Amino acid sequence: MHSTVIIKAPAKINLGLTVLRRRPDGYHDLSTVMQQLSLADTIMLEPRREPGYSFFCSIPALSGRSNLVCRAADLLLERAGAVLPGVKISLYKNIPAAAGLGGGSSDAAAALKGLSNYWTLGLSMAELSELAARIGSDVPYCLRGGTALAGGRGEQITPLPPLPFYWVVLALPPGLFLSTGQGYGALDPMQFRQPPLEPLLRALRERNDQLLEDWFSRGRTNTFEEAVLPVYPHLQRLKNKFLSLGLSPAMSGSGPTYFSLTESIIVAREAVCALQEGGYRAFLCWTASPERKS
Ligand code: C5P
């Protein structure tokens, strides 16, 4: 009999993101540096008598079979082509949905890893990555986590030296949900190839804190920002709020989440309180890596 398994599905932020071009298949080639966070969803796998799986999500609106966790389970069952032991899958959400934090992609990646172990399918990382890319562009990164450069439509992953520990302040306007597709739809091709990521890559490869600070203080780290800010004026107010707190804000994914890194827990705590008092959903977390068990 299987025992219960608990798996963490961490959020990500994009330390930098450049959209390069639109492709004939409708996707976009991009170059982005992703960073794993301590903020995470939890997936629980429990044995059940009947074969197949059941799915529960703590957010009712996400509990349908279109959830990417079910897509991961279905792909594994299809690949196994056999009746596998029954499993009850429960997903407990902490990561805001449709927020640019990779929550759904990370849930899918964690389900792929967890279920392939649960069913002892013996899949290699390459095989899991291939399935992950079929689920979504960010899922292959989420399988590995840590600090990584993603290319292609997001599925080509090159690990980078781990970012040192920083506190991370995250905030987003309540009730604003932006799908990735919406974000890409709002892009102006004139903004493509901005901002070049070389200064960020140099900061990471040289592990140079000053260069990293310079990257974030330049104010432009993500192609999506120019597209999304004019459409949602309250995002400009959120950005200004970060600036008024002495923090350098950057947008994650296609938004609407803004984040800022700081070495000071006092600054981070005060910022989260001020943002929450300002009516925003705000979170205090930190940079994490698969090696640092946090
Ligand atoms: O890959 P994923 O399913 O997360 O993508 C959702 C939507 O975002 C795609 O249907 C596409 O419209 C857009 N997208 C894109 N280029 C990417 C990733 C996503 O245009 N690199």
Side-chain angles (χ1 to χ4, degrees), residues 15 35 147 159-166 198-214 263 289 291-292:
L15 302 180
Q35 172 60 47
T147 310
L160 291 168
L163 188 71
F165 182 97
Y166 283 98
E198 282 72 25
L200 170 62
L201 292 170
R202 191 170 151 222
L204 293 168
R205 291 193 172 118
E206 294 179 12
R207 297 168 193 258
N208 187 321
D209 295 342
Q210 185 56 53
L211 289 181
L212 192 67
E213 202 179 314
D214 294 348
E263 289 173 356
S289 73
E291 296 78 37
R292 259 198 330 256

Side-chain angles (χ1 to χ4, degrees), residues 233-271:
H234 41 320
L235 277 183
Q236 184 64 57
R237 287 199 287 279
L238 171 57
K239 185 174 183 182
N240 293 344
K241 182 78 181 168
F242 269 90
L243 292 168
S244 73
L245 295 165
L247 292 170
S248 301
M251 182 170 277
S252 188
S254 51
T257 301
Y258 270 98
F259 69 89
S260 189
L261 308 183
T262 170
E263 289 173 356
S264 162
I265 179 66
I266 297 166
V267 168
R269 254 197 225 132
E270 285 178 1

Side-chain angles (χ1 to χ4, degrees), residues 41 67-69 93 95-98 101-109 135 139 142:
D41 292 338
N67 193 296
L68 296 184
V69 166
K93 292 292 296 176
I95 306 171
L101 295 170
S105 301
S106 189
D107 297 339
I135 301 175
V139 186
C142 294

